[in-house]
Amino acid sequence: MIWRLGERLEELDQGEWEAEGCPAVFLTDSRNARKVLDLAGIQYENDIQLGQIGFCKLETQQECLVGTLCIPKLLDVLGSRYRIYFFINQDHVVLVDDEDFSMRLIRRIKRKKTHQGETKERFIYNYIAEFMSRDQELLMQYEKTLMGMEEDAMQGKIERFQQELMPIRRKLLNLRSYYDEMMDMGRELEENENGFFAKKQLKYFGTLSDRADRLMSRTSHLLEYAQQVRDVYQSQVDARQNSNMQFLTVLSTIFFPLTLITGWYGMNFQNMPELKNGYPGVIVLSLIVIIVCILIFKRKKIL
């Protein structure tokens, strides 16, 4: 598909575009990518394999810019990603996408934006800004989740805590790397090494870099907050363990003298006191030991 760059994106067929010869945005899939690149006057020698894209980057070549996008799906950050090639030369932008992701983005741009693509720079800004537009909301959801987990941990509700926290930390780590890549891409676009972009339009790429930088900073803050929440959880676990150890210590302290008494009377020496009628005395002595131990623990506020 072909859209003419202008105040509003206007869809054209190939014949209309060739007749007018206007700057345009091409959207194709990997099977037809070579044909479309030739149509746009872009030479690219390497293979176009969307499945091999692993991160976002921009490569400057002599006649064009070649970029890859590896965009996490907001509903499944740890799952599969949207993988897209994009090519930019003096006049045209070519997007290679085997899914309908880019098509949905362009439709949203046409529906939401008043100024949709007067220039290449404006279109690239709208395109990237559109798929990053919901990330702030996603990070806010993670923050609310972490706040709820912190409150539960402080109240002692720590069942399945680790199983819930670890996926959030992995998602945040993935997003932080992604925003770092996008920030670098925005800076490389702003450098305009090939001179494909008008200098007065470079501000758009600076805006993209700043947005990615803010999102990365927010993600780093959430990772630190997640560690704080984990510390709260660990303190609750330690408090429970200390409580259990304290209880076992109390039991051991009470039963140790009782064990000594029973062991002593179990030896059955001939001249042992109360050898023949000692049961009542042993019982009374044991009760006195238990009561004294309990009073001592009460005074020390252990019980």
Side-chain angles (χ1 to χ4, degrees):
M1 295 186 178
I2 307 173
W3 287 269
R4 174 170 48 194
L5 290 173
E7 185 173 349
R8 302 189 65 83
L9 295 173
E10 181 180 353
E11 190 170 347
L12 304 171
D13 59 31
Q14 182 175 340
E16 291 175 327
W17 173 78
E18 290 176 343
E20 297 189 12
C22 58
V25 175
F26 298 81
L27 175 59
T28 185
D29 55 24
S30 56
R31 291 182 304 173
N32 300 301
R34 290 294 178 187
K35 181 175 64 175
V36 174
L37 287 175
D38 290 341
L39 188 64
I42 296 175
Q43 299 295 324
Y44 182 64
E45 297 180 355
N46 297 332
D47 294 334
I48 299 176
Q49 298 180 353
L50 295 178
Q52 300 299 319
I53 296 176
F55 47 89
C56 304
K57 68 174 184 178
L58 185 69
E59 177 184 350
T60 301
Q61 298 190 355
Q62 185 173 359
E63 298 181 355
C64 67
L65 295 175
V66 182
T68 59
L69 296 171
C70 190
I71 306 168
K73 297 180 180 179
L74 298 186
L75 297 179
D76 187 15
V77 174
L78 298 178
S80 61
R81 296 190 173 197
Y82 298 114
R83 290 175 167 84
I84 301 165
Y85 270 101
F86 66 90
F87 302 84
I88 304 170
N89 65 1
Q90 190 68 43
D91 296 316
H92 307 304
V93 177
V94 177
L95 302 172
V96 182
D97 185 358
D98 283 343
E99 303 183 52
D100 65 344
F101 180 68
S102 294
M103 176 63 75
R104 288 188 279 117
L105 286 179
I106 292 174
R107 287 173 179 168
R108 292 212 306 254
I109 292 171
K110 292 180 68 176
R111 184 173 64 252
K112 294 166 53 176
K113 302 290 185 180
T114 302
H115 301 286
Q116 300 172 1
E118 298 94 331
T119 61
K120 300 189 306 295
E121 299 85 358
R122 183 72 185 191
F123 173 80
I124 295 168
Y125 167 79
N126 285 338
Y127 181 82
I128 296 177
E130 186 61 35
F131 66 70
M132 296 178 65
S133 62
R134 300 179 182 177
D135 291 41
Q136 191 70 251
E137 181 181 348
L138 176 67
L139 295 179
M140 289 179 62
Q141 292 177 358
Y142 288 146
E143 184 176 24
K144 290 180 181 178
T145 301
L146 289 172
M147 291 175 65
M149 294 178 68
E150 181 182 29
E151 185 175 350
D152 289 343
M154 294 180 66
Q155 295 176 358
K157 302 175 183 179
I158 57 176
E159 291 74 15
R160 295 187 56 80
F161 185 91
Q162 290 280 40
Q163 292 89 333
E164 294 177 3
L165 180 63
M166 295 310 295
I168 294 178
R169 293 188 72 250
R170 288 198 298 269
K171 291 177 182 178
L172 291 173
L173 286 169
N174 273 271
L175 289 173
R176 184 175 65 178
S177 298
Y178 161 63
Y179 295 137
D180 188 27
E181 294 166 9
M182 292 304 301
M183 184 174 62
D184 289 341
M185 178 178 290
R187 289 173 177 171
E188 290 178 18
L189 288 170
E190 192 175 12
E191 286 178 4
N192 194 21
E193 184 174 342
N194 284 10
F196 290 157
F197 307 121
K199 291 184 178 180
K200 64 179 181 181
Q201 303 285 340
L202 295 178
K203 60 183 180 181
Y204 292 121
F205 303 137
T207 302
L208 291 176
S209 298
D210 292 341
R211 177 177 297 187
D213 189 18
R214 290 194 301 271
L215 289 170
M216 188 178 69
S217 298
R218 181 75 179 277
T219 306
S220 298
H221 169 73
L222 289 177
L223 280 168
E224 295 175 0
Y225 183 37
Q227 182 60 42
Q228 294 175 10
V229 173
R230 187 180 184 280
D231 292 341
V232 173
Y233 159 78
Q234 191 61 47
S235 66
Q236 290 295 325
V237 172
D238 293 342
R240 283 193 178 186
Q241 291 178 345
N242 290 337
S243 178
N244 293 335
M245 291 299 298
Q246 187 176 18
F247 177 72
L248 293 175
T249 301
V250 170
L251 289 180
S252 299
T253 304
I254 291 175
F255 282 97
F256 178 76
L258 299 181
T259 303
L260 179 62
I261 293 171
T262 56
W264 181 26
Y265 276 92
M267 290 185 289
N268 294 325
F269 292 141
Q270 185 174 359
N271 298 321
M272 182 178 294
E274 303 293 340
L275 179 61
K276 293 184 179 180
N277 300 309
Y279 282 110
V282 171
I283 293 174
V284 172
L285 179 61
S286 299
L287 290 175
I288 291 173
V289 169
I290 292 173
I291 293 172
V292 170
C293 288
I294 291 175
L295 291 176
I296 292 174
F297 289 138
K298 288 281 189 181
R299 177 172 295 182
K300 293 182 176 294
K301 297 181 179 180
I302 298 177
L303 289 177

